[in-house]
């Protein structure tokens, strides 16, 4: 009974402050180090509240009564909903695949092959349109601070003319070697990217939702664009996703117009997806590969 109570105390909110006769300080320290190793492999997807909120999907929106009439479950006092954690499971499976990826040979005498370092910063292209949720007006706040600013608010905070490009520094997960990468964000690639080497630096494209976005690009076909870069689409909750986007190889997420807790989830989804894509297609940009 004493041992059971001691284990319960260790699992309580007191955590490592709990003391038990059969647990030495060395045991607690070893356990703490193991926990830190596990946490190093975690993928941030927002705080607990935002994860639970984004996992709620309404069910039985219209339920049939015995008399044949229908009623909305959202208006019922005891309406029920179920939580869908498919996205959390997807991220977990991705982390397992990353762990199972074969490592380079560690046999004596085997040389570790370093990838050639690309010239220039990797580029993220975002839409140049007033209707786009993310543009150069508010890109610094969203990509750098995980906070979405509506266009009118961002315009009031803007000092001087609209920037032509931005530099965002991204800390890379320890799973991919750690370190940091500086990304250049632009919205007018047809002018900024003049050579094939410039276009080779493109690693991610935010889709606006229409094929005319790619007019004048080196590759004007959206299928080709998103086969060579990480595709991402950001819309608003409740707004329909353009039909063209549904046929493209892009990851889709939605921002809330008034709930800022969702911002960190969309922010983490973009960067985690890009990190994984870079680890496969553009490893030369990652600090651990240089």
């Amino acid at each position: 009974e004493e041992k059971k109570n001691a284990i319960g105390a260790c699992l309580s909110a007191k955590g490592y402050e709990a003391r038990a006769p059969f647990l030495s300080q060395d045991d607690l320290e070893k356990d703490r180090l193991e926990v830190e190793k596990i946490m190093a492999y975690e993928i941030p997807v927002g705080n607990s509240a935002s994860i639970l909120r984004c996992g709620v999907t309404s069910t039985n929106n219209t339920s049939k009564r015995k008399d044949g009439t229908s009623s909305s479950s959202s208006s019922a006092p005891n309406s029920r909903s179920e939580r869908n954690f498919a996205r959390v499971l997807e991220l977990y499976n991705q982390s397992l695949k990353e762990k199972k990826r074969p490592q380079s040979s560690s046999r004596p005498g085997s040389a570790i092959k370093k990838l050639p370092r690309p010239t220039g910063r990797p580029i993220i292209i975002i839409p140049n349109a007033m209707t786009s949720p993310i543009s150069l007006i508010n890109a610094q706040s969203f990509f750098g601070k995980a906070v979405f600013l509506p266009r009118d608010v961002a315009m009031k905070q803007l000092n001087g003319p609209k920037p032509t490009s931005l530099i965002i520094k991204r800390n890379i997960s320890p799973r991919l070697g750690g370190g940091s990468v500086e990304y250049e964000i632009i919205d007018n690639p047809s002018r900024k990217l003049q050579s094939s080497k410039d276009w080779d630096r493109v690693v991610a494209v935010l889709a606006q939702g229409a094929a005319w976005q790619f007019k004048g690009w080196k590759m004007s076909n959206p299928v080709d664009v998103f086969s060579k870069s990480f595709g991402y689409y950001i819309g608003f909750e409740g707004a329909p996703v353009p039909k063209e986007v549904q046929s493209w190889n892009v990851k889709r997420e939605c921002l809330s117009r008034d709930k800022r807790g969702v911002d960190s989830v969309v922010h983490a989804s973009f960067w985690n997806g890009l990190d994984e894509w870079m680890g496969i297609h553009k490893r030369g940009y990652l600090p651990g590969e240089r």
Side-chain angles (χ1 to χ4, degrees):
E1 186 67 24
E2 181 183 355
K3 185 174 182 180
K4 180 179 179 181
N5 293 334
I7 294 176
C10 292
L11 296 177
S12 68
K14 292 183 179 180
Y16 291 109
E17 296 178 4
R19 290 291 181 269
F22 59 91
L23 288 178
S24 66
Q25 186 62 37
D26 291 339
D27 292 331
L28 293 175
E29 185 61 27
K30 289 179 181 179
D31 187 74
R32 181 185 283 108
L33 294 176
E34 289 301 319
V35 171
E36 290 178 354
K37 290 180 182 179
I38 294 173
M39 292 179 66
Y41 285 94
E42 291 184 349
I43 302 176
V45 292
N47 55 35
S48 58
S50 59
I51 292 174
L52 294 175
R53 180 168 56 251
C54 73
V56 174
T57 55
S58 178
T59 58
N60 299 326
N61 288 332
T62 56
S63 57
K64 293 284 186 178
R65 293 177 179 173
K66 291 183 178 181
D67 58 3
T69 61
S70 62
S71 62
S72 174
S73 62
S74 60
S75 61
N78 295 322
S79 62
R80 300 178 61 188
S81 62
E82 62 180 22
R83 299 184 183 278
N84 181 0
F85 294 98
R87 178 56 186 152
V88 178
L89 181 60
E90 179 186 345
L91 291 173
Y92 173 73
N93 290 332
Q94 287 178 0
S95 66
L96 290 181
K97 291 179 181 178
E98 186 67 26
K99 290 180 182 179
K100 294 179 180 178
R101 182 179 296 174
Q103 303 295 322
S104 58
S105 175
S106 57
R107 291 177 299 174
S110 62
I112 300 176
K113 184 179 180 180
K114 290 289 185 179
L115 295 176
R117 183 173 181 175
T119 303
R121 297 184 179 94
I123 292 175
I124 299 172
I125 302 177
I126 63 176
N128 182 11
M130 294 180 61
T131 56
S132 174
I134 304 298
S135 66
L136 281 178
I137 299 295
N138 58 5
Q140 185 77 46
S141 175
F142 177 75
F143 289 110
K145 302 176 182 178
V147 176
F148 169 72
L149 291 178
R151 184 179 178 85
D152 57 338
V153 176
M155 287 292 293
K156 292 178 181 179
Q157 298 182 6
L158 185 65
N159 294 321
K162 187 189 84 169
T164 57
S165 65
L166 296 171
I167 303 299
I168 297 291
K169 189 174 183 179
R170 163 69 174 171
N171 293 325
I172 303 300
S173 168
R175 298 184 305 107
L176 298 175
S180 62
V181 176
E182 286 189 344
Y183 290 88
E184 183 178 359
I185 300 179
I186 64 175
D187 68 351
N188 197 342
S190 57
R191 290 185 180 181
K192 297 272 294 184
L193 309 180
Q194 299 297 321
S195 66
S196 296
K197 289 185 177 180
D198 292 338
W199 281 100
D200 288 341
R201 293 164 52 201
V202 176
V203 297
V205 175
L206 253 66
Q208 164 69 17
W212 54 259
Q213 175 186 1
F214 312 105
K215 185 177 180 180
W217 290 26
K218 178 185 177 182
M219 293 179 293
S220 57
N221 188 331
V223 176
D224 296 332
V225 171
F226 296 118
S227 68
K228 300 290 185 180
S229 61
F230 174 65
Y232 202 77
Y233 171 80
I234 300 178
F236 283 116
E237 287 183 350
V241 177
K243 291 184 178 179
E244 288 182 289
V245 172
Q246 297 178 25
S247 63
W248 297 342
N249 181 27
V250 299
K251 192 174 184 178
R252 304 193 297 267
E253 293 288 354
C254 291
L255 289 166
S256 173
R257 297 182 185 274
D258 52 3
K259 299 176 183 177
R260 298 282 60 86
V262 182
D263 297 351
S264 60
V265 177
V266 180
H267 170 271
S269 174
F270 171 80
W271 283 117
N272 291 335
L274 180 55
D275 287 349
E276 295 292 340
W277 188 91
M278 294 277 286
I280 297 174
H281 301 282
K282 295 284 185 178
R283 290 171 49 209
Y285 281 114
L286 300 178
E289 300 291 340
R290 297 172 188 171

